[in-house]
Amino acid sequence: MSAATPAETPSGARRIPAGRKVELASYVNEHGQVSVTQLAKHFQVSLDTIRRDLDQLGTDGVVIRTHGGAMSPSAVPRIETAVDVRRRMQAGAKDVIGELAAGLVADGSAVMLNGGTTVLAVGRALRDHRDLTIATNNLLLSSELNPAAVRDLCLFGGTVRHSSQTTVGPVVFRSGLTGGEVDVQCDLALIAVGAASLEGGYSGSNLSEAAMMREMMDRASEVAMLVDSSKFGRRMFAQVAELGGVDYLVSDAPPPADMARALAEARVEVVVPAS
């Protein structure tokens, strides 16, 4: 009997690509971060094959494609990550959330949006809206907006956080004439957070950003929390609000049963894709 080729399993049965991709994703998730060379050696396939598999898994949001390898999405939220990496995490889910959140925005309304790449998806989804007033601390949002949709775009000042491309400071604007604070109020605040759980509510990793999100919520007539389903059941350092302290929860999939019951009891409307 001839020796097994690299495309075969140790038992001699030819490995199908779909099966390898499932095993590859599991391996990446188990090890956190791996290189193309390490994966090629482990799965006994060529470097080009591994690169193609990782490219596809990265596009699907299963792993995060990095230069020379890949990393597990579950490992990333525990540390501050660069915006370009965050853009690739759960990209499909963020697009779904963006479209759903845009459906809550009325033409001619004033909207506050915080930082984060989920909010960038919202900005793209507002392309067909008109006459919006948008206030944000997200330095990247302007490049995602259709200029025809926006009457005024206002950026909150403060300290720039390069890791998240946001400003952190008070949710206020100052008069150009007197230098005094101008009170602002919006119709809707769209707030993206890093975690949501029954006990911990909505939370994020940075204390200053969490405080700013809370202030945005306090200046809004209604609040929609944007949470992709991979963040359900998790708790991060700084709480932004309790689970029932918003009007809407927008996600790419329904929350776990215990969260769903608590949200229903608190009269929070859950906005997810139609089944």
Side-chain angles (χ1 to χ4, degrees):
M1 179 181 292
S2 60
T5 67
E8 295 177 342
T9 64
S11 63
R14 183 166 295 279
R15 186 190 301 275
I16 60 174
R20 183 177 63 248
K21 290 178 182 178
V22 170
E23 294 177 17
L24 195 157
S26 298
Y27 187 87
V28 174
N29 285 325
E30 179 182 351
H31 289 79
Q33 186 167 2
V34 293
S35 68
V36 169
T37 302
Q38 178 183 349
L39 291 169
K41 182 177 180 180
H42 178 80
F43 290 99
Q44 297 185 338
V45 294
S46 70
L47 296 175
D48 286 342
T49 296
I50 287 295
R51 290 190 185 99
R52 285 194 296 269
D53 288 348
L54 291 182
D55 287 344
Q56 183 61 58
L57 291 173
T59 300
D60 294 341
V62 179
V63 303
I64 299 170
R65 190 72 164 93
T66 63
H67 180 70
M71 62 190 303
S72 167
S74 63
V76 173
R78 298 173 187 167
I79 59 174
E80 280 295 326
T81 55
V83 172
D84 59 343
V85 174
R86 290 178 185 159
R87 281 180 183 270
R88 297 194 295 269
M89 295 173 59
Q90 303 296 321
K94 291 173 183 177
D95 288 339
V96 170
I97 292 170
E99 294 290 342
L100 293 173
L104 301 176
V105 178
D107 285 350
S109 62
V111 186
M112 285 190 191
L113 301 105
N114 70 315
T117 52
T118 300
V119 168
L120 301 183
V122 178
R124 293 190 294 272
L126 292 171
R127 56 192 172 273
D128 295 326
H129 284 63
R130 293 296 181 269
D131 203 30
L132 298 177
T133 297
I134 294 179
T136 185
N137 68 324
N138 194 325
L139 297 176
L140 301 176
L141 184 59
S142 63
S143 63
E144 304 293 340
L145 292 167
N146 176 5
V150 182
R151 178 178 61 191
D152 292 304
L153 175 61
C154 307
L155 180 68
F156 294 113
T159 302
V160 173
R161 298 192 71 234
H162 290 287
S163 61
S164 58
Q165 286 296 291
T166 58
T167 60
V168 179
V171 182
V172 297
F173 296 103
R174 298 193 179 279
S175 167
L177 297 175
T178 66
E181 292 183 4
V182 178
D183 185 44
V184 293
Q185 185 75 17
C186 68
D187 300 295
L188 177 67
L190 296 170
I191 306 295
V193 293
S197 67
L198 182 62
E199 297 81 10
Y202 310 101
S203 57
S205 61
N206 182 269
L207 183 61
S208 297
E209 286 190 341
M212 196 170 185
M213 293 177 211
R214 180 72 247 184
E215 193 173 351
M216 288 182 182
M217 293 170 60
D218 291 341
R219 292 180 176 273
S221 299
E222 291 188 310
V223 176
M225 201 64 75
L226 315 181
V227 189
D228 76 64
S229 57
S230 70
K231 298 170 182 174
F232 288 148
R234 298 179 53 207
R235 169 70 190 265
M236 300 182 82
F237 174 64
Q239 186 186 63
V240 177
E242 294 183 353
L243 192 66
V246 300
D247 300 285
Y248 304 94
L249 170 66
V250 185
S251 185
D252 58 297
D258 56 350
M259 283 183 62
R261 286 192 296 270
L263 289 164
E265 291 172 2
R267 298 185 179 181
V268 175
E269 183 177 344
V270 177
V271 182
V272 295
S275 56

